[in-house]
Amino acid sequence: MVDASAVLRQGLLQLSKSGQVRTLIEKAPVSRDVVRRFVPGERTADAVRAATDLDRTGRRSTIDFLGEDTTDLDQARATRDAYVQLLEALSEAGLTQEGRSEVSVKLSAVGQYLPGDGHKIALDHAREICQAATNAGTTVTLDMEDHTTTDATLETLLELRQDFPSVGAVLQAYLHRTEADCRDLAGAGSRVRLCKGAYKEPESVAFQDSAEVDKSYVRCLKVLMAGEGYPMVASHDPRLVEIAGALAARHHRSADSFEYQMLYGIRPEEQKRLADRGDQMRVYIPYGQEWYGYLMRRMAERPANTVFFLRALATKG
Ligand code: FDA
């Protein structure tokens, strides 16, 4: 039998790469209003405001300046500059103490795909962002993109950690390789965000069935919770959140030795509940003009998000 939600998911992930659909959606009069549910704004001030609001309710944040797959050096430099400016603004707002607000960086946004020296350019830009984070008293997590970049991203991570040991990694449970990567990255002080994974990946490298992805997530979580690092449990899935709590208790982890993470605008009540009960909760805040790819991945994850978007287009557009 055809799984309709899987077909919708694959279709939306395909569309996330389509320039034509992107232009259509970006120009739709209502798009920006609807996008606000997931993306608080386009300017640094919007990101700082969202982080401040979360901070008031005991939630931490990690902020992503939207943009990816850059093939233009000026654009890569502009992204680096945006992060440096953001980190200064977060520091001025008093949000970076004890790493309450940090930043998430996609290497493809700072030059990884540039022809020739892409790897080195991205590394240099990431290094400058890490230095700005250190100056502000906080840290950086490297987002993980599609599987063709996993090795290069982990290499860059290790290079950055020589000077900035607190740089965080992201691992995606849908990849067959990830349990082994968790073992490699479960050492003392290693910050690892575990997520399910958001890209369209082939069967040769990734589990396709959601139950298989969930099982892999639990196996990976077991490795990270048993290790000496700092696991960051990035999921909205109630079952996985519960399992993470149980594993943390089994390994006698204190509340400050791991954290939960969720995306801005998704399950805000659950975010508050976890923070209120004394757990660490960090919210991923994306901001900037390049929201299209991010939004399409959120649509692909949950048909209800797509319905919300289409309904708004139909009623206001
Ligand atoms: P999934 O989408 O399968 O949802 C599981 C369950 O959660 C649902 O059945 C429902 O019960 C509940 N739920 C989900 N959405 C809900 C909603 N809107 N309202 C109510 N309930 C809802 N990916 C990547 O490839 N690279 C990366 O670097 C990152 N970074 C990242 C950071 C952070 C902080 C998060 C939270 C996520 C990422 N991701 C990511 C995205 C991640 O890979 C994944 O695509 C999404 O988090 C969705 O997966 P879930 O684990 O939430 O489960």
Side-chain angles (χ1 to χ4, degrees), residues 104-156:
S104 285
V105 176
K106 283 188 177 45
L107 290 176
S108 79
V110 291
Q112 194 176 40
Y113 286 161
L114 291 171
D117 279 354
H119 176 80
K120 182 170 181 313
I121 293 168
L123 174 63
D124 289 345
H125 286 162
R127 216 188 279 283
E128 289 174 76
I129 297 169
C130 289
Q131 188 57 58
T134 303
N135 296 346
T138 190
T139 188
V140 173
T141 298
L142 293 185
D143 278 342
M144 189 59 87
E145 303 177 64
D146 74 63
H147 80 279
T148 61
T149 63
T150 309
D151 281 327
T153 301
L154 293 179
E155 260 171 53
T156 301

Side-chain angles (χ1 to χ4, degrees), residues 37 62 142-145 170 172 174 193 195-199 217 234-238 240 261-263 266-267 282 284 298 301-302 305:
R37 177 177 157 187
T62 181
L142 293 185
D143 278 342
M144 189 59 87
E145 303 177 64
V170 177
Q172 299 152 315
Y174 64 15
R193 171 192 300 160
C195 63
K196 288 190 185 179
Y199 296 82
Y217 196 105
S235 178
H236 312 95
D237 194 324
L240 295 178
Q261 299 191 338
M262 293 190 188
L263 301 175
I266 301 191
R267 303 198 74 205
R282 191 180 296 276
Y284 185 104
R298 302 294 78 80
E301 274 150 22
R302 195 167 161 81
N305 289 342

